[in-house]
Amino acid sequence: MPPKPKARAGVKLSSWVGFLIVVVSLAVVVGIIVAANSGDDEGISGDVDTSLLTEDFIDEGLAQALKVEGKDAVSVRLSEYDLTVEYFDPNNRETRYFETNDYVEGYELRVEKSHYDSYQPVPFDLSTIDAATMIAAVKDALTKTDDVYTYDLRIDVDRDTGDVQWVVSVGGDDSIQVTSAP
């Protein structure tokens, strides 16, 4: 009778070893799949949400803003939360914000009265803004710091030079700001 308990112990041990091999194999496969799917954001570290960095989302938002508000924008902002196109009406001293995101269908249009007589932003042609260039500017800035948790791209006209400027602000281990004029 003593050999039977040893045989059972051997069977239990081999079952556990087999189970562990299956679990480790599944973990390796899941790791490989996750690594393969994250290749689009290579070089970007941290918990920043880059799901809005797609040409479809940005192109659709810019096209809607053009259709609803026109081409004379005073700024475009893209963050991990939304795309906002700002317009300014100097006659009525009003700022209009066209906002779109991926969690509410359509867009929101907010209007705010300007309280500053000196506020006079310079408009630029919204149709000249390209989604692929926006994505490239943000992704480039995201690779310049570690543990990124936020980004914000702002496109507007520099008051000193009159040129359209692109400023990407990234929050991470070292918060940075990258300014360019594509």
Side-chain angles (χ1 to χ4, degrees), residues 129-141:
I129 303 302
D130 174 61
T133 307
M134 291 174 69
I135 293 167
V138 170
K139 285 191 173 185
D140 178 59

Side-chain angles (χ1 to χ4, degrees), residues 77-90:
R77 290 185 87 132
L78 174 66
S79 72
E80 66 271 20
Y81 305 111
D82 59 19
L83 171 72
T84 302
V85 182
E86 180 181 345
Y87 296 87
F88 183 72
D89 180 352

Side-chain angles (χ1 to χ4, degrees), residues 29-49:
V29 168
V30 169
I32 291 170
I33 291 170
V34 167
N37 288 334
S38 66
D40 291 342
D41 296 332
E42 200 168 309
I44 299 172
S45 67
D47 292 329
V48 67
D49 181 1

Side-chain angles (χ1 to χ4, degrees), residues 2-3 9 20 30 48 54 64 73 79-80 85 90 97 105 107 113 116 141 164 166 176 178:
L20 284 173
V30 169
V48 67
T54 67
Q64 283 181 325
S79 72
E80 66 271 20
V85 182
Y97 299 93
E105 190 174 322
Y107 62 88
K113 200 76 166 152
Y116 304 100
V164 175
W166 296 46
I176 62 164
V178 179

